Short mmCIF file of all heavy atoms in Angstrom, two decimals:
data_model
loop_
_atom_site.label_atom_id
_atom_site.label_comp_id
_atom_site.label_asym_id
_atom_site.label_seq_id
_atom_site.Cartn_x
_atom_site.Cartn_y
_atom_site.Cartn_z
N GLY X 26 -10.99 22.85 0.89
CA GLY X 26 -10.08 23.83 0.41
C GLY X 26 -10.74 25.04 -0.26
O GLY X 26 -10.25 26.16 -0.17
N ALA X 61 -4.67 -8.54 9.48
CA ALA X 61 -3.98 -9.81 9.63
C ALA X 61 -5.03 -10.90 9.75
O ALA X 61 -6.12 -10.65 10.35
CB ALA X 61 -3.10 -9.79 10.87
N VAL X 66 -6.18 -22.41 3.21
CA VAL X 66 -5.81 -23.31 2.12
C VAL X 66 -5.68 -22.53 0.78
O VAL X 66 -4.69 -22.75 0.06
CB VAL X 66 -6.88 -24.41 1.98
CG1 VAL X 66 -6.59 -25.28 0.74
CG2 VAL X 66 -6.90 -25.27 3.20
N VAL X 83 12.96 -18.11 -12.93
CA VAL X 83 14.41 -17.72 -12.71
C VAL X 83 15.28 -18.89 -13.09
O VAL X 83 16.33 -18.71 -13.74
CB VAL X 83 14.59 -17.31 -11.21
CG1 VAL X 83 16.05 -17.18 -10.88
CG2 VAL X 83 13.87 -16.01 -10.98
N ALA X 105 16.99 -21.20 -6.86
CA ALA X 105 15.56 -21.23 -7.16
C ALA X 105 14.75 -21.74 -5.93
O ALA X 105 13.73 -21.22 -5.61
CB ALA X 105 15.28 -22.09 -8.40
N ARG X 129 0.71 -1.60 7.59
CA ARG X 129 -0.01 -1.35 6.33
C ARG X 129 -1.13 -0.34 6.53
O ARG X 129 -1.30 0.54 5.68
CB ARG X 129 -0.61 -2.66 5.77
CG ARG X 129 0.33 -3.56 5.08
CD ARG X 129 -0.39 -4.63 4.28
NE ARG X 129 -1.33 -5.40 5.08
CZ ARG X 129 -1.05 -6.49 5.71
NH1 ARG X 129 0.17 -7.00 5.68
NH2 ARG X 129 -2.00 -7.14 6.39
N GLY X 139 -1.76 12.30 2.58
CA GLY X 139 -0.85 13.03 1.74
C GLY X 139 -1.42 13.38 0.38
O GLY X 139 -1.34 14.48 -0.11
#
Side-chain angles (χ1 to χ4, degrees):
V66 173
V83 168
R129 280 193 308 269

